[in-house]
Amino acid sequence: MTTITAELVKTLREKTGAGMMDCKKALTETNGDMEQAIDWLRKKGLSAAAKKSGRVAAEGLVGVLSEGKVGAIVEINSETDFVARNDKFQEHLQQVLAIALKYKGTFDELLALPHGHGQSGNVLEATQNLIAVIGENINVRRMERLEVNSGVVASYIHNATMPGLGRIGVLVALESTAPTATLETLAKQIAMHIAATSPQSIDVDSLDPRLVDRERAIFSEQAEKSGKPADVIAKMVEGRLKKFYEESVLLEQAFIMDNTRRVKDVLKDVGAPTTISGFVRFALGEGIEKKADDFAAEVASLSK
């Protein structure tokens, strides 16, 4: 029988991040075979991950990465902000980002790609392994990728935890033949603008028609209460819709770097025809229903 040395246990722990006792048990169960021990821990980790998968994960980090004409943005959630500061969590997000930057495909296809970075499984399996190591539910929630034919894709992180990682991330794609340095500066500014204003579309035509109809109905009902003639009411509604567009549509918004001008006007100064072909804004945990903790009930349950 193979002797399970401290050096073997240390090596397995460095490869997997699992606890010392778990590593020793894995090596004992597999007669010291390192690869089998890794698989043994993975199987145990998958079991542990399944127990945690139902817990709400609304913390974590958003990561962005852009290189020239391509950019990617990924959100990975954890249960607590403490875990989001964990080196292994951050390394995992950075690796998933690197994969997303290179690969064109659906979200499910991304999860099935080899993780690399010292991990033998795919992205989903590497995430499940991380759950076993860290002890919290962790979820690769969403991913987007932007690419241009001619121009740049820029990224921005607001309140960065470290370069490229934070709580609000933005990608913006500019199609243009203007000098790259000029486009990079402008794209970065527009990405910062998007982080601050959270527009709902690039232009008016791209707005969800149902949203416009709902706003129009609300404005009409408000205007009708004024008792003014129908033609005046119609003008009031159109005026309020115009204001709504100026607040919600990127090209119509006042530019945060110079609020005397709109974003669409700033694009005209580039020196070559320039369009915003796409943008993505992820705010950490948006749309996730967070469970309200009942502290008194938790204390009572622990005391039983």
Side-chain angles (χ1 to χ4, degrees), residues 12 16 18-49 120 128-129 132-133:
L12 181 59
T16 64
M20 294 289 281
M21 295 306 296
D22 288 333
C23 288
K24 184 175 181 180
K25 186 173 182 181
L27 287 164
T28 301
E29 291 291 329
T30 59
N31 199 28
D33 187 296
M34 187 63 65
E35 292 305 314
Q36 287 186 31
I38 291 172
D39 289 345
W40 188 92
L41 284 170
R42 285 184 61 199
K43 290 172 184 175
K44 295 297 181 183
L46 290 175
S47 174
S120 58
Q128 292 171 325
N129 291 341
V133 171

Side-chain angles (χ1 to χ4, degrees), residues 61-120:
L61 287 170
V62 172
V64 295
L65 183 62
S66 56
E67 293 181 359
K69 298 178 181 180
V70 185
I73 181 167
V74 174
E75 178 182 354
I76 299 184
N77 299 124
S78 59
E79 294 178 50
T80 64
D81 180 64
F82 177 77
V83 164
R85 297 193 295 272
N86 181 287
D87 288 344
K88 291 186 181 298
F89 181 93
Q90 293 178 359
E91 288 169 5
H92 179 58
L93 175 50
Q94 288 170 328
Q95 181 64 10
V96 175
L97 260 177
I99 295 168
L101 187 74
K102 295 178 181 178
Y103 181 75
K104 294 181 181 180
T106 66
F107 178 69
D108 288 339
E109 288 170 337
L110 171 74
L111 294 180
L113 289 172
H115 182 273
H117 201 63
Q119 297 278 352
S120 58

Side-chain angles (χ1 to χ4, degrees), residues 234-302:
K235 290 180 181 178
M236 290 172 64
V237 171
E238 290 308 311
R240 291 177 184 179
L241 270 176
K242 183 174 183 292
K243 187 174 187 303
F244 169 70
Y245 296 148
E246 291 170 354
E247 293 172 349
S248 306
V249 175
L250 177 56
L251 291 178
E252 303 299 325
Q253 290 177 331
F255 192 40
I256 60 168
M257 304 295 176
D258 178 3
N259 61 16
T260 65
R261 308 169 71 211
R262 305 208 179 279
V263 173
K264 63 183 179 183
D265 299 322
V266 174
L267 292 176
K268 297 174 184 177
D269 293 343
V270 175
T274 302
T275 60
I276 300 173
S277 59
F279 77 85
V280 184
R281 181 186 187 275
F282 283 177
L284 180 67
E286 60 188 347
I288 297 176
E289 185 175 347
K290 299 181 182 181
K291 180 181 177 182
D293 294 327
D294 187 337
F295 184 70
E298 183 179 343
V299 171
S301 67
L302 291 172

